Amino acid sequence: MKGINDGKTAERILALMSRKNYRPLKRRQLALLLGRAEEGKYEAFKLTLKQLVASGHVVKGRGNKYDLAKRARTVVGRLVMRGSNYGFVRRGGGLGMVEIERGGVGGAMHGDTVEVEITEVQPGKPPRGRVVNIVSAGDRTAVGTIVETRYGLYFIPIRGGVFPEVPVVGNKKGLKHGDLVTVEFVRDRRKDFTARVVERLGDGAAYSSTLEAVLRAFEIPRAFPAEITAEAARAASEPLDLKGRKDFRPLPTVTIDPDDAKDYDDALSLERTPDG
């Protein structure tokens, strides 16, 4: 089971909760029933139960009692915003998604892990609900582009942009259409989903700004791991094997690649011939 350290204990917990006569129990009660309450076993049991909650298989409800997510009236998952005040929650374990009704996100933000109370279930449609608790906060920042419309400035994220344009609030001085920026997601007085610019990276038409934005948005490492650097140094120190190869290094070489190119492959070597 993905994300679970002790798969056997997890299966026993789920099997117990799947019984028709099961009623939500507290953690210690579950451990006693499964023979995991004694010292040396209880800590591992607590971790497994916590991982089941994080994966969306189990929910922790009122009175700190645990139940199967698919049977409970509350579920836990990651919030994905699709507008300023609505979206959906992705549940783990292949349990599908829960639509969050308009105005039902509370103070939660895009990327937060939240607990959702199911408010409506219809055959053939995803269940609907509202956020009742923020389990853990996600990353409240994003990198993207500023767009200017007749309604004002909006932000479009480079990565994970499943929600539409987010209105920009706060200090907008110097911002223009096409700028690349880092924003912090915030709630305004009406609890609408908005973006506040915390850093301007530059013009979106500039190569350097675009490269910086992509590196940040996709969290691309800026340096090679130490073991790779060490391997490259070892390879560079070894003598070249020129067997079956012709050495053109003494020839003068020019490249027609632009100054800011990262891959110099359009190169020409020149050699004066006897006939000029």
Side-chain angles (χ1 to χ4, degrees):
M1 193 176 295
K2 188 176 181 180
I4 308 295
N5 293 354
D6 188 348
K8 290 184 178 180
T9 298
E11 289 175 1
R12 292 185 63 198
I13 293 172
L14 295 177
L16 174 63
M17 293 182 177
S18 298
R19 296 176 183 175
K20 290 184 178 180
N21 61 347
Y22 176 80
R23 294 293 180 269
L25 297 173
K26 292 187 176 182
R27 183 173 60 198
R28 177 67 70 171
Q29 293 171 318
L30 283 169
L32 286 169
L33 282 175
L34 296 174
R36 310 295 292 180
E38 59 191 78
E39 188 176 352
K41 295 182 179 180
Y42 187 56
E43 289 301 318
F45 173 82
K46 288 197 299 182
L47 175 61
T48 301
L49 189 58
K50 182 178 180 180
Q51 291 172 338
L52 284 172
V53 172
S55 67
H57 288 83
V58 172
V59 294
K60 182 180 179 181
R62 293 180 179 178
N64 294 324
K65 294 182 178 181
Y66 295 84
D67 198 359
L68 287 178
K70 61 184 179 182
R71 183 171 55 204
R73 296 298 295 179
T74 59
V75 298
V76 174
R78 180 178 177 271
L79 176 63
V80 178
M81 299 297 299
R82 301 197 69 175
S84 63
N85 59 5
Y86 69 100
F88 63 88
V89 166
R90 287 196 178 110
R91 295 184 286 175
L95 297 176
M97 70 177 187
V98 177
E99 290 186 357
I100 304 301
E101 56 199 31
R102 289 186 179 274
V105 297
M109 305 289 286
H110 178 77
D112 288 354
T113 299
V114 296
E115 182 181 359
V116 176
E117 179 184 28
I118 304 299
T119 58
E120 181 182 342
V121 178
Q122 294 185 19
K125 294 183 179 181
R128 302 186 70 187
R130 63 184 182 88
V131 175
V132 294
N133 181 40
I134 300 174
V135 178
S136 61
D139 187 0
R140 300 292 175 88
T141 62
V143 177
T145 307
I146 294 293
V147 294
E148 186 173 1
T149 73
R150 61 177 179 172
Y151 302 108
L153 296 180
Y154 285 76
F155 169 80
I156 300 178
I158 292 176
R159 182 181 184 184
V162 295
F163 47 84
E165 297 92 342
V166 181
V168 176
V169 298
N171 186 6
K172 307 173 189 177
K173 186 177 180 180
L175 292 177
K176 64 181 185 301
H177 183 84
D179 279 353
L180 292 166
V181 296
T182 298
V183 303
E184 176 187 18
F185 295 127
V186 294
R187 293 281 180 192
D188 63 11
R189 293 180 179 178
R190 296 177 300 176
K191 294 187 177 181
D192 284 339
F193 192 55
T194 60
R196 178 183 293 122
V197 175
V198 295
E199 184 180 3
R200 181 180 179 274
L201 303 179
D203 191 334
Y207 174 83
S208 58
S209 302
T210 303
L211 179 61
E212 178 66 23
V214 171
L215 288 172
R216 293 194 187 192
F218 292 93
E219 301 177 0
I220 299 174
R222 297 169 185 263
F224 290 105
E227 59 270 20
I228 300 299
T229 304
E231 178 64 24
R234 284 194 296 270
S237 64
E238 296 176 357
L240 290 176
D241 181 9
L242 298 178
K243 185 178 180 180
R245 303 167 68 186
K246 189 171 182 178
D247 189 359
F248 289 99
R249 287 177 297 172
L251 294 178
T253 303
V254 296
T255 176
I256 59 174
D257 290 293
D259 292 340
D260 58 356
K262 300 301 179 184
D263 183 14
Y264 292 96
D265 55 359
D266 294 318
L268 303 172
S269 296
L270 305 178
E271 182 180 34
R272 184 179 294 277
T273 60
D275 58 0

